[in-house]
Amino acid sequence: MTDAIQTLRTTARTLFAAAVKAADPAPALRRQLLGDPLPLLPTGRYLLVAVGKAAGAMMAEALTHLPPGAAHTALVVTNYENAQDIPGCTVMAAGHPIPDENGEAAGRAVIALLDGATAHDRVIALISGGGSALLPAPSDGLTLSDKAEVSRILLGAGVDINEMNAVRQHLSRLKGGGFTQLAHPAPVSAYILSDVIGDDLRAIASGPTVGPILPRAEVRAQLDARGLLAQMPAAVRGGLDAAETDETPATGAT
């Protein structure tokens, strides 16, 4: 191996290591929380929900930044490969990229936690890539099988992540701002680790704390134009015909 090739190899390894370090979720979240510390709540609890393939690392870091003695409940939903015990936290593992029964159970757990939030509580959402498939929460009239079939059809058609999540948002109780709606009247602070080119918060994990990417009617029209609408389960086609949901309550996103 020549000196020039060895130099290139060393440079490439250095650049790769720097990129991996920059993408490490724990230091990224640490920088945010050190710059904008979590407030001490006079009453109420912190409700921490971490969803995605980086959920465990983000939760472990976030717990170290809670004010001393703060009451809290913490829940992680991540993929099977990344699941690990975290002290003071419930960890649930689920399927990715095809939703499964464990993910549906995790969705119910998140909904139950958010349903119990009050105006005195503070919800902390820790969101990373993969959260869309990991947390299926079918809208009324839909089943997990319907949601899984939608994922299979879209993946098989080579639909990109933004288009895929635009569909998923309108079939879920949590996606496309549903998370924030369920948490109301508790304020929500969202810390979002992007895996999407352009960092569109609506697309990352199907935007649980922000509004949908596209209106429901436009999603339906795009699926129809691709010849995919007719392949969807009947309940999904019916769901995409439903009226638009109300606006999502405001959230702080970092």
Side-chain angles (χ1 to χ4, degrees):
M1 182 181 297
T2 67
D3 289 344
I5 292 176
Q6 181 60 46
T7 298
L8 287 173
R9 183 185 293 273
T10 299
T11 299
R13 285 177 172 169
T14 300
L15 292 172
F16 178 78
V20 170
K21 183 178 180 179
D24 189 326
L29 182 59
R30 186 180 308 137
R31 288 191 294 271
Q32 293 294 331
L33 292 175
L34 288 175
D36 185 17
L38 298 174
L40 179 63
L41 302 179
T43 58
R45 306 162 294 156
Y46 278 101
L47 305 178
L48 298 95
V49 179
V51 181
K53 288 181 281 188
M58 294 181 77
M59 179 63 79
E61 181 65 31
L63 288 173
T64 69
H65 293 269
L66 290 176
H72 70 277
T73 301
L75 174 61
V76 163
V77 182
T78 193
N79 55 311
Y80 295 114
E81 297 84 354
N82 289 349
Q84 57 182 359
D85 290 338
I86 300 173
C89 176
T90 298
V91 177
M92 302 182 74
H96 179 278
I98 302 297
D100 65 8
E101 291 81 1
N102 288 336
E104 187 174 30
R108 290 194 297 268
V110 169
I111 290 170
L113 183 61
L114 297 178
D115 272 345
T118 74
H120 301 291
D121 299 325
R122 173 66 66 93
V123 175
I124 305 297
L126 307 168
I127 299 166
S128 57
S132 188
L134 289 165
L135 202 64
S139 300
D140 291 343
L142 299 182
T143 66
L144 178 62
S145 178
D146 292 328
K147 297 286 294 288
E149 183 62 16
V150 169
S151 293
R152 292 189 192 96
I153 291 169
L154 297 177
L155 288 167
V159 171
D160 70 33
I161 188 63
N162 282 10
E163 292 178 274
M164 183 176 295
N165 286 350
V167 177
R168 286 167 163 170
Q169 287 175 333
H170 293 293
L171 306 175
S172 171
R173 294 185 63 192
L174 288 167
K175 299 174 175 62
F179 182 105
T180 306
Q181 291 176 333
L182 286 165
H184 184 73
V188 177
S189 296
Y191 299 87
I192 302 171
L193 188 65
S194 176
D195 66 337
V196 174
I197 295 173
D199 301 336
D200 188 341
L201 299 185
R202 301 170 302 171
I204 303 164
S206 294
T209 60
V210 296
I213 297 169
L214 294 172
R216 186 177 282 112
E218 192 168 338
V219 169
R220 182 181 175 90
Q222 287 191 358
L223 289 173
D224 196 24
R226 280 179 169 269
L228 299 177
L229 184 62
Q231 300 179 39
M232 296 291 170
V236 171
R237 297 196 301 272
L240 292 175
D241 275 335
E244 299 291 341
T245 57
D246 294 335
E247 290 186 6
T248 302
T251 179
T254 300

